[in-house]
Structures are given as structure tokens and as C-alpha cells.
Amino acid sequence: MSVRAFLPKPVPREAIAHLLEVASRAPSGTNTQPWKVYVLQGASRNKLVDKVCAAHDAGRADPALAAARKPAYDYYPTNWVSPYIDRRRENGWGLYGLLGITKGDKDKMHAQHQRNFRFFDAPVGIMVTIDKVLGRGSLVDCGMFLQNLMVAARGHGLDTCPQAAWVDYTDIVLPHVGAGDNEMLVCGLSLGYADPADKVNTFHTPREPVANFTTWLE
């Protein structure tokens, strides 16, 4: 599950390195291993949070600034259709309802969205990139790498939240982490110890039954 509230408890560097080593066993097309990882802790994490939160606030104050932002790639469709838009709405209003955020409450919506750019208070932020020369299949490879990382984290008592929200701020993120011009930001990831007392972590998204997405052929 995606955890959206973390404790300030630090995560040892050795533990993170071990998780990344486990994740690196993910399969990839012809063993290209396209992922590149940047781990942010301490001052580097906090400075990125300040930069992106400032840009997020500026975009709200001036919608033209927000509209001018170009995501690293099209994570979401340009035109939403059912059933995907229905699931998206169910997810969004389910979360907002739990948090007491009503439709039209733009202040609270903005603040909640900005929690992404604070890594939900997790002490570790991770950015994953790939080389722009690679094809779309490398995004599948990165997905398997990330899943390995997230499952391994749970095995060590840690939690995560994969975040596509960061791709809108690639112009800030990539220079901050020292990425090259040839790199494309795939996503960010929050890593740490879940806060069990925060009600946001009681939110569990529904899943379609197997019968709805599977065709059996004999």
C-alpha cells in the first residue's frame, strides 16, 4: 500500500543500500538495467522539498506558471474515459473524504497535494531516472525494479509511497540531484517507517476482482 504519513525515525544508509541491491535483481529487457537512483536524506532532501513546494505554491498563485510546466512524460492520459476515470475519482474522493476535505476546498486540496513534495515527512526520498535514449519498455523494467524495492522494504519493516507527482517538477529535481541532460525522471519514492497513528494510513484502495480483468483461454 502507499503510505502517506511517516515517522521522523531515520533509516540507516546500510539498510537502503541493501534494499537497492535486492531491487537490482529485477528483470529487464536484455539485462539493460536501465534504472538510475538518487537517494536524498538530510539537507539534500530538505532543500529539494523547499524548492518544489515553493514552485507548487507559485503555480497556485499564478495558474499560468502551473500550466507552463511540462511533465517528464505522459504518465496519465490526455483524455480520461471509463472505467479509469471512475477509479481515479473513487480513489481521490475516498482519500479526501477520510481526511475531511470537501469538494471545492481548494486550500486543503493544495495542502494535501503538497504532502507529495514533502515526501509525506519520510526521512528518505528516492528519485529514479532512465536514459532518454531508451524505449518505453525501459519504463516497464523500472516498474519491476520499484516493485522489488517496495516489497523488500516491507520485509524490513519499512514502507513506501511511489509518486508520479514529481514528474511535473523535473526541471527542478534533475539539476538538484545532479542528473545529466540525457536523463528522464521516472518518478519519486518516499521511504521510511509508517506512522500508525495517522488516519491517512488506514486508507486502502479497492481492487477489481480477478474475473473482471482476466480472460481464460483453453
Side-chain angles (χ1 to χ4, degrees):
M1 60 173 284
S2 293
V3 164
R4 294 180 175 86
F6 291 84
L7 298 171
K9 181 180 177 180
V11 182
R13 180 169 179 170
E14 297 76 16
I16 302 169
H18 174 68
L19 296 178
L20 292 172
E21 182 179 3
V22 171
S24 73
R25 297 305 308 177
S28 58
T30 64
N31 199 34
T32 49
Q33 303 173 70
W35 44 81
K36 190 167 184 180
V37 176
Y38 298 89
V39 180
L40 296 108
Q41 297 175 279
S44 65
R45 173 207 173 280
N46 297 340
K47 288 177 182 177
L48 179 62
V49 166
D50 290 344
K51 290 178 185 177
V52 176
C53 285
H56 186 234
D57 287 339
R60 186 189 181 196
D62 183 356
L65 291 177
R69 291 208 157 273
K70 301 298 181 184
Y73 62 100
D74 295 331
Y75 187 97
Y76 295 111
T78 302
N79 298 310
W80 286 91
V81 298
S82 293
Y84 315 111
I85 185 62
D86 307 310
R87 294 170 186 164
R88 177 182 173 91
R89 287 170 176 161
E90 180 184 35
N91 180 72
W93 291 118
L95 176 62
Y96 281 7
L98 176 68
L99 298 176
I101 302 174
T102 58
K103 191 172 184 178
D105 194 338
K106 295 182 179 180
D107 289 340
K108 288 184 178 180
M109 288 181 182
H110 180 78
Q112 181 58 33
H113 186 60
Q114 193 169 104
R115 293 281 294 152
N116 278 282
F117 308 124
R118 300 183 184 280
F119 293 108
F120 299 106
D121 297 328
V124 182
I126 293 176
M127 295 294 164
V128 178
T129 72
I130 60 172
D131 196 310
K132 292 177 182 177
V133 74
L134 296 169
R136 286 186 292 178
S138 291
L139 292 173
V140 177
D141 300 336
C142 279
M144 290 188 281
F145 171 83
L146 286 160
Q147 186 70 25
N148 268 13
L149 175 59
M150 291 184 280
V151 171
R154 286 296 305 123
H156 287 75
L158 292 156
D159 280 282
T160 57
C161 185
Q163 300 164 263
W166 291 97
V167 301
D168 286 337
Y169 296 89
T170 185
D171 61 316
I172 299 174
V173 174
L174 294 185
H176 181 84
V177 300
D181 292 339
N182 63 310
E183 292 178 59
M184 181 184 83
L185 180 63
V186 176
C187 70
L189 183 97
S190 299
L191 172 70
Y193 296 94
D195 182 353
D198 196 308
K199 66 180 179 182
V200 73
N201 287 334
T202 66
F203 181 66
H204 294 267
T205 54
R207 287 294 183 272
E208 288 291 308
V210 172
N212 284 12
F213 61 79
T214 304
T215 299
W216 299 93
L217 304 170
E218 296 181 0

